[in-house]
Amino acid sequence: MGRYVARRLLQMIPVFIGSTLLIFCMMYALPGDPVAALYGEKKPDPAQILAIKHQLGLDLPLWHQYWNYLTGLFQGDFGTQIATQRPVADVIAQAFPVTIRLTLFAFVFTVVVGVLLGLVSGLFADKAFDRIVLVFTLLLISVPSFVLGYLFQYLFAFQLDWLTPTVQDSRDPGQLLLPAIVLAALSLAYVTRLTRTSVAENLRADYIRTAVAKGLPRRRVVGVHLLRNSLIPVVTFLGTDIGALMAGAVVTEGIFNVHGVGNTIFEALNRREGSTVVGIATLIVIVYLVASLLVDLLYAVLDPRIRYD
Amino acid sequence: MTLLEVRDLHVDFKTRDGLVKAVNGVNYSVEAGETLAVLGESGSGKSVTAQAIMGILDMPPGRIPQGEILFHGNDMLAMSKEERRKIRGAKIAMIFQDALSSLNPVLTVGYQLAEMFRVHQGLRRKEAKAKAVELMERVKIPAAKARVNDYPHQFSGGMRQRIMIAMALALEPDLIIADEPTTALDVTVQAQVMELLADLQREYNMGLILITHDLGVVADVADKIAVMYAGRIVETAPVKELYRTPAHPYTKGLLDSIPRLDRKGQELYAIKGLPPNMATVPGGCAFHPRCPAARDVCRTELPPLAEVGDGRGSACHFWKETIDDRAA
């Protein structure tokens, strides 16, 4: 077990280097450059641009720039934003907790509502409730999140006036509710479908028949014997889903004006702020890796047939 | 009073191909300490009958349109769900065929055994666990105390089936239904498990319904036999008489298809044809397309289960000829 965790943690090193390098190259390959972006509509002075580039080390070859970035990173320096002169570390420290909060909110929503809906429709497979949930989840899967976002905004904020249309204070859970639901929608639909299938399948399993034959009350058959077995595939999905939620936050944060990672990365991309984009993207990759490690460990807890050594 | 009496039991299933009548008027009874073997091919309705007794039929699509299941004289089909649940596991317990799939893979065997005491007797977790260890010792699982927290997949097939037996025995039920308890096991282990089951039955004076298609197992442990074909009992008899003089051509066919040393080298006998599809059971006697002795009347008239001797019944128009044929 300990060795397994150690191995998984060591595996993160090449993934870390690979993902930073990949994103770094992509930023380099993008047309436009961050220094020209400083001038906006004004006509820049080529000599001045060259000078600034030299000062920032942007005239160096790609491998050298990457090397500089990486060595900086190991000294705890994430780089500095060109336009704002703010350290990238500060930008990340400000934006990340907001997105984490939003993602966790969406995650909890996904798990609680998704598993509950899936369980009930799996228990009553092919009944009216199951059919309604099927249509509902298909809708969620087929409607893009930006459509859903604007729709919810219009409905709940402007028409019904229940919630604020945009997020002013990201620490207020009431304000984060709407973006969290929109962010969760797609995952929620998948979790519901997955749980439903798993529950309906396990319901026919021999060990459920045994549990009934033992004279256990229905809630014990479902709560202890059925649910735990049914959740095994769902947990696997949820592990990879945390990463997908963080990526989905880019769009959702835009709609609801949440000042999180999504918004920051979007602005940074527009201004070709390489170090910001690479820094944030790498952090998301790490979150994703840690989340899937945790899920794999949880998987072994849920299913004793799986052992890591 | 008779421990269990099944009277004119019918079970239907609603399927896409229409109504399938899986069980058509089955009657049998078991006394305390007695072993009834129910013999038949797959699809003969032997397991469905057992599931109806346990109350674990899937309803729907299953349905019991007719019949009574009397346990200590009370009709269980007329009981409330809660009353039946309290009987399940505690008074009537069941042992299934495949212990690996029948035990919950994510719970320890100790938990699954202890659950019986916790649910039916309200014992605390710790006391129940101690009882689980006792049970495991009683079914002769070595190092029970150390293995109580192991999971089903960590045991061998024979040990797993012992755990199934222990679970069925937990609350010392009056009746145990064993649905092909040894089919999934190695032959050497089969004998051990059967012996264990027979010993425990004797010790607790339980009634046992043994569902099987293994004639060898039956001869060793059963007191009486009911042979099922296409949802009906076609022959019922004390075990010795049935082996000596079968009164139904189907039973005869089954006995003749046992490999025998004294006929080594000869072709093995097999009943021709296949068991009928339960959605399209042949008219008249359901066995007639496969019966070597079939005549015109067998195609049109369903033979009733006629009394053919002391405690013996046969559902064949020509039971007399069948018995005489063997005796001769």
Side-chain angles (χ1 to χ4, degrees):
Chain A
M1 186 74 167
R3 282 187 57 184
Y4 175 79
V5 175
R7 204 166 64 214
R8 284 286 297 263
L9 288 172
L10 283 176
Q11 278 170 4
M12 287 185 190
I13 295 170
V15 175
F16 170 79
I17 293 175
S19 57
T20 48
L21 181 63
L22 210 65
I23 301 159
F24 205 89
C25 292
M26 285 185 207
M27 285 310 292
Y28 190 84
L30 278 180
D33 79 79
V35 182
L38 285 175
Y39 289 84
E41 295 297 303
K42 274 193 290 179
K43 189 109 180 101
D45 173 10
Q48 209 171 4
I49 282 184
L50 276 180
I52 297 173
K53 274 194 167 180
H54 180 73
Q55 189 194 340
L56 294 169
L58 292 179
D59 53 348
L60 295 168
L62 176 65
W63 67 266
H64 201 161
Q65 283 188 43
Y66 179 66
W67 176 253
N68 285 347
Y69 177 73
L70 219 54
T71 46
L73 218 50
F74 283 112
Q75 289 157 25
D77 180 12
F78 280 77
T80 307
Q81 283 202 326
I82 296 160
T84 58
Q85 290 298 310
R86 284 176 65 199
V88 175
D90 282 7
V91 176
I92 290 175
Q94 200 182 35
F96 229 77
V98 177
T99 300
I100 293 275
R101 216 174 294 139
L102 179 64
T103 308
L104 276 183
F105 207 161
F107 186 73
V108 170
F109 191 74
T110 301
V111 174
V112 173
V113 180
V115 168
L116 209 68
L117 282 181
L119 177 65
V120 176
S121 42
L123 286 175
F124 301 99
D126 300 325
K127 297 275 170 56
F129 182 84
D130 181 35
R131 297 281 158 80
I132 293 167
V133 170
L134 173 68
V135 173
F136 170 71
T137 51
L138 284 179
L139 259 171
L140 287 187
I141 290 172
S142 47
V143 176
S145 66
F146 60 88
V147 175
L148 198 69
Y150 288 123
L151 194 74
F152 277 19
Q153 224 170 23
Y154 174 77
L155 226 81
F156 297 113
F158 297 126
Q159 290 301 311
L160 296 168
D161 207 18
W162 288 353
L163 301 155
T164 51
T166 56
V167 178
Q168 265 92 46
D169 179 5
S170 67
R171 269 157 303 184
D172 179 0
Q175 294 193 16
L176 272 185
L177 185 64
L178 208 48
I181 291 175
V182 172
L183 179 57
L186 186 64
S187 307
L188 173 82
Y190 282 129
V191 168
T192 306
R193 302 301 312 151
L194 201 60
T195 312
R196 185 251 179 223
T197 311
S198 184
V199 165
E201 201 179 283
N202 278 295
L203 206 51
R204 287 192 299 266
D206 286 350
Y207 61 82
I208 293 297
R209 192 185 55 185
T210 309
V212 175
K214 282 163 86 174
L216 308 182
R218 176 107 181 129
R219 53 174 196 288
R220 192 173 181 93
V221 173
V222 172
V224 177
H225 290 264
L226 178 67
L227 200 57
R228 224 179 120 180
N229 281 283
S230 303
L231 284 183
I232 293 168
V234 180
V235 165
T236 320
F237 172 78
L238 286 174
T240 53
D241 193 48
I242 291 179
L245 281 176
M246 293 198 86
V250 175
V251 176
T252 318
E253 286 180 3
I255 300 169
F256 293 97
N257 193 35
V258 182
H259 293 286
V261 162
N263 250 342
T264 311
I265 209 167
F266 185 69
E267 280 168 20
L269 264 171
N270 277 340
R271 295 202 309 255
R272 303 287 181 271
E273 294 272 13
S275 51
T276 313
V277 175
V278 177
I280 290 176
T282 307
L283 264 183
I284 293 179
V285 169
I286 289 174
V287 167
Y288 187 87
L289 288 176
V290 171
S292 52
L293 174 61
L294 286 179
V295 164
D296 282 349
L297 295 179
L298 182 62
Y299 198 47
V301 174
L302 275 179
D303 190 345
R305 284 164 297 184
I306 293 166
R307 281 281 167 261
Y308 301 119
D309 39 36
Chain B
M1 190 179 292
T2 305
L3 176 60
L4 179 93
E5 193 175 351
V6 178
R7 280 189 194 159
D8 192 28
L9 184 73
H10 290 251
V11 182
D12 300 342
F13 288 98
K14 236 184 219 154
T15 69
R16 253 170 289 172
D17 305 331
L19 199 66
V20 171
K21 294 184 171 178
V23 176
N24 301 298
V26 161
N27 293 282
Y28 60 57
S29 66
V30 190
E31 305 288 344
E34 190 181 42
T35 300
L36 165 73
V38 181
L39 212 69
E41 292 164 289
S42 25
S44 61
K46 56 192 195 312
S47 292
V48 174
T49 310
Q51 284 172 13
I53 297 169
M54 273 314 280
I56 55 170
L57 271 179
D58 284 329
M59 300 204 283
R63 202 167 63 101
I64 302 178
Q66 202 178 322
E68 288 177 323
I69 301 173
L70 304 176
F71 181 62
H72 290 303
N74 303 314
D75 185 8
M76 290 200 293
L77 295 178
M79 289 180 186
S80 72
K81 273 186 179 170
E82 190 56 17
E83 282 175 296
R84 290 210 75 182
R85 180 184 74 71
K86 284 181 176 154
I87 292 176
R88 267 202 298 273
K91 301 281 174 212
I92 306 179
M94 190 153 177
I95 299 167
F96 296 98
Q97 183 184 135
D98 182 359
L100 182 60
S101 65
S102 296
L103 290 167
N104 193 324
V106 304
L107 300 173
T108 63
V109 297
Y111 183 93
Q112 295 184 62
L113 288 170
E115 208 175 20
M116 299 295 289
F117 302 107
R118 290 173 63 193
V119 168
H120 287 284
Q121 297 182 337
L123 290 194
R124 287 169 191 289
R125 206 176 266 256
K126 230 178 151 177
E127 300 163 311
K129 205 53 160 282
K131 284 244 192 187
V133 175
E134 264 175 55
L135 267 179
M136 286 169 72
E137 280 163 357
R138 212 174 313 168
V139 295
K140 304 189 176 91
I141 291 174
K145 205 165 189 145
R147 304 213 64 186
V148 68
N149 290 324
D150 281 358
Y151 291 92
H153 71 273
Q154 292 168 299
F155 289 86
S156 68
M159 288 299 143
R160 269 197 294 268
Q161 196 54 285
R162 280 166 197 263
I163 288 160
M164 281 303 289
I165 293 173
M167 201 182 284
L169 278 173
L171 303 170
E172 300 180 11
D174 301 332
L175 176 69
I176 286 195
I177 303 175
D179 191 352
E180 312 213 5
T182 58
T183 309
L185 303 174
D186 290 343
V187 181
T188 47
V189 182
Q190 273 184 10
Q192 291 167 10
V193 168
M194 244 4 266
E195 202 177 312
L196 173 75
L197 193 58
D199 283 350
L200 292 165
Q201 182 206 5
R202 219 168 298 130
E203 195 183 328
Y204 296 110
N205 196 33
M206 295 178 297
L208 174 66
I209 298 177
L210 182 67
I211 298 166
T212 183
H213 56 244
D214 186 338
L215 286 155
V217 168
V218 172
D220 287 341
V221 297
D223 297 307
K224 58 184 188 186
I225 296 185
V227 182
M228 285 188 75
Y229 189 82
R232 291 174 201 277
I233 292 184
V234 293
E235 177 165 7
T236 165
V239 68
K240 284 201 184 97
E241 267 118 290
L242 185 125
Y243 274 77
R244 201 182 312 130
T245 53
H248 194 283
Y250 177 60
T251 316
K252 213 175 135 215
L254 286 179
L255 292 171
D256 285 342
S257 51
I258 302 172
R260 281 167 50 172
L261 279 176
D262 57 335
R263 292 203 199 134
K264 203 172 169 184
Q266 296 174 30
E267 195 180 333
L268 206 59
Y269 178 81
I271 302 173
K272 63 175 183 178
L274 294 169
N277 176 347
M278 289 308 287
T280 52
V281 176
C285 170
F287 187 58
H288 81 255
R290 304 172 72 188
C291 182
R295 296 180 215 175
D296 285 346
V297 63
C298 302
R299 279 176 259 282
T300 51
E301 260 178 67
L302 180 71
L305 188 68
E307 201 168 317
V308 303
D310 192 21
R312 296 196 61 175
S314 167
C316 177
H317 292 300
F318 305 102
W319 58 268
K320 222 177 175 63
E321 288 86 335
T322 313
I323 293 181
D324 291 346
D325 181 39
R326 189 54 156 236

